[in-house]
């Protein structure tokens, strides 16, 4: 079934900025990717296999309920680092009813959305994985996963076509590219994604610096949450890093007191959010999630090295 022949409900379309995960496939009518409801400003993620899908739905519902009675304040704090959840929705896609999670469309207002999916942790198999599943997971992204606790399933980025021009081109890479990377290649790819090597003009360099500082700020907030929490362990979960390339050449100007006006707040065009929660489990023996934090600290160090080089 060709992509153009996918039978989607009226008002919905395939999400063009999806860079990783299950997608619509020409040869498999059962394969369903992310959908976009542009009117509602939602992305719709199909639930995965029953046990995984139910686990992810329960996770989002637990976040929505957290803090309502004064309990689970840590979970309530996590909500700010996760796309907003608007509940489940049943839709008929390719003549079959499916359940979707309605999530915030993080790049809805972006003119030129740059998006990267970074999977976190040395270990990407969960406590219920079979020996074969563990073996399969351990064979993926071996170098970067073991040395950095990170792997790169996919990204898209806008890049200038030529120096000193406003014309751009889009570069997209998927999991095959990510699997080919060594540590140095991973770092170079991150610099490419942040346009750190293409920022030729003074204004674009300033925009790139602001972008990197804002990404660092959000990463460090997520790390601070993980350093406090002993509730959950996250396996095969990702961070989605998004920014609007069109803002690089026109960065917000700080006010005298160091703050930005609402429209200029870099958090409006730079977002780092945790995604993919099909393999979230109660923390083993009340221990911190060292696996996730190892990858997160590596990512912070990579971004810092780009900022200060």
């Amino acid at each position: 079934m060709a992509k153009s022949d996918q039978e989607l409900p009226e008002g919905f379309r395939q999400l063009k900025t999806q860079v990783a995960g299950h997608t619509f496939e020409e040869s498999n009518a059962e394969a369903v990717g992310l959908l976009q409801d542009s009117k509602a400003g939602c992305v719709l993620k199909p639930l995965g296999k029953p046990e995984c899908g139910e686990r992810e739905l329960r996770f989002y519902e637990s976040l929505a309920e957290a803090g309502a009675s004064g309990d689970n304040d840590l979970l309530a704090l996590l909500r700010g680092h996760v796309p907003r959840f608007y509940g489940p929705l049943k839709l008929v896609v390719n003549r079959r009813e499916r359940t979707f999670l309605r999530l915030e469309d993080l790049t809805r207002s972006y003119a030129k959305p740059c998006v990267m999916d970074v999977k976190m942790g040395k270990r990407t198999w969960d406590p219920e994985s079979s020996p074969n599943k563990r073996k399969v997971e351990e064979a993926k992204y071996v170098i970067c996963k073991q040395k950095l606790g990170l792997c790169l399933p996919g990204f898209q980025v806008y890049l200038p076509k030529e120096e000193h021009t406003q014309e751009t081109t889009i570069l997209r890479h998927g999991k095959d590219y990510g699997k080919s990377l060594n540590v140095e290649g991973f770092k170079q790819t991150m610099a490419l994604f942040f346009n750190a090597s293409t920022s030729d003009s003074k204004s674009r360099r300033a925009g790139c610096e602001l972008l990197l500082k804002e990404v660092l700020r959000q990463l460090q907030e997520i790390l601070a949450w993980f350093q406090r929490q002993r509730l959950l362990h996250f396996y095969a979960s990702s961070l989605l890093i998004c920014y609007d390339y069109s803002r690089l050449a026109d960065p917000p100007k700080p006010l005298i007191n160091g703050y930005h006006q609402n429209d200029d707040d870099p958090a409006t065009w730079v977002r780092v959010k945790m995604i993919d929660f099909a393999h979230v489990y109660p923390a083993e023996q009340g221990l911190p999630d060292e696996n996730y934090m190892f990858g997160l600290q590596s990512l912070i160090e990579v971004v810092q090295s780009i900022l200060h080089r």
Side-chain angles (χ1 to χ4, degrees):
M1 181 178 290
K3 289 186 179 181
S4 59
D5 295 333
Q6 296 288 345
E7 297 180 27
L8 305 179
E10 186 176 352
F12 296 88
R13 63 188 181 191
Q14 296 174 40
L15 181 67
K16 292 181 180 179
T17 55
Q18 180 176 356
V19 294
H22 298 290
T23 59
F24 289 93
E25 297 176 9
E26 294 185 7
S27 59
N28 184 3
E30 293 300 304
V32 176
L34 300 179
L35 297 178
Q36 183 180 39
D37 179 353
S38 55
K39 281 189 176 180
C42 292
V43 167
L44 287 91
K45 179 182 180 178
L47 287 187
K49 293 180 291 186
E51 65 276 14
C52 296
E54 286 301 316
R55 195 180 298 118
E56 185 158 32
L57 176 59
R58 285 198 303 271
F59 173 80
Y60 275 109
E61 289 176 337
S62 69
L63 282 191
E65 295 164 2
S69 60
D71 297 330
N72 290 327
D73 286 341
L74 273 173
L75 274 186
L77 287 174
L78 183 60
R79 279 203 300 261
H81 303 299
V82 171
R84 291 189 187 93
F85 174 58
Y86 302 111
L89 178 68
K90 292 186 182 295
L91 291 174
V92 175
V93 176
N94 295 338
R95 304 178 187 178
R96 176 183 159 191
E97 185 177 76
R98 306 165 194 267
T99 301
F100 291 80
L101 300 173
R102 290 186 298 166
L103 303 170
E104 175 185 10
D105 185 350
L106 296 173
T107 63
R108 184 187 187 191
S109 63
Y110 292 5
K112 295 184 176 180
C114 300
V115 181
M116 176 178 277
D117 183 311
V118 185
K119 190 169 287 190
M120 309 299 292
K122 287 184 178 182
R123 171 180 160 182
T124 54
W125 47 269
D126 67 40
E128 296 180 359
S129 295
S130 67
N132 183 61
K133 174 66 173 176
R134 295 183 185 189
K135 187 176 179 181
V136 169
E137 285 298 313
E138 287 172 354
K140 296 178 181 176
Y141 306 93
V142 177
I143 297 175
C144 289
K145 196 158 61 173
Q146 292 309 309
K147 291 187 178 295
L148 298 174
L150 303 168
C151 53
L152 185 55
F155 69 96
Q156 80 164 36
V157 61
Y158 282 81
L159 301 168
K161 274 189 176 180
E162 298 176 6
E163 289 186 8
H164 309 296
T165 71
Q166 296 298 316
E167 291 186 63
T168 56
T169 184
I170 301 179
L171 177 67
R172 286 181 65 94
H173 280 302
K175 59 186 178 183
D176 290 339
Y177 175 86
K179 288 175 181 177
S180 73
L181 296 174
N182 57 20
V183 171
E184 187 57 33
F186 182 92
K187 293 177 179 178
Q188 290 172 357
T189 299
M190 293 298 296
L192 175 71
F193 175 72
F194 290 123
N195 269 274
S197 56
T198 64
S199 300
D200 46 42
S201 68
K202 184 176 180 180
S203 63
R204 193 174 287 152
R205 282 196 300 272
C208 181
E209 181 179 346
L210 190 63
L211 161 64
L212 290 165
K213 287 181 176 179
E214 180 60 22
V215 168
L216 271 177
R217 184 189 69 79
Q218 295 184 37
L219 288 174
Q220 287 163 342
E221 282 190 356
I222 295 170
L223 177 60
W225 183 84
F226 271 93
Q227 289 170 334
R228 290 181 59 191
Q229 74 95 14
R230 303 290 187 273
L231 304 170
L232 301 168
H233 285 181
F234 296 75
Y235 303 98
S237 185
S238 288
L239 283 175
L240 198 69
I241 304 173
C242 314
Y243 73 93
D244 187 352
Y245 173 87
S246 69
R247 299 296 298 271
L248 284 185
D250 184 25
K253 298 176 177 58
L255 300 179
I256 294 174
N257 62 8
Y259 290 93
H260 300 275
Q261 297 176 6
N262 288 338
D263 290 344
D264 283 345
D265 185 349
T268 63
W269 61 276
V270 182
R271 293 188 176 103
V272 180
K273 299 290 184 181
M274 295 172 61
I275 60 169
D276 296 340
F277 305 112
H279 303 279
V280 177
Y281 286 78
E284 298 170 12
Q285 301 176 341
L287 295 172
D289 192 345
E290 299 287 357
N291 179 58
Y292 194 106
M293 285 195 291
F294 176 76
L296 190 49
Q297 287 167 328
S298 293
L299 186 56
I300 287 171
E301 289 170 9
V302 170
V303 177
Q304 284 175 330
S305 71
I306 298 169
L307 177 61
H308 298 303
R309 68 182 187 177

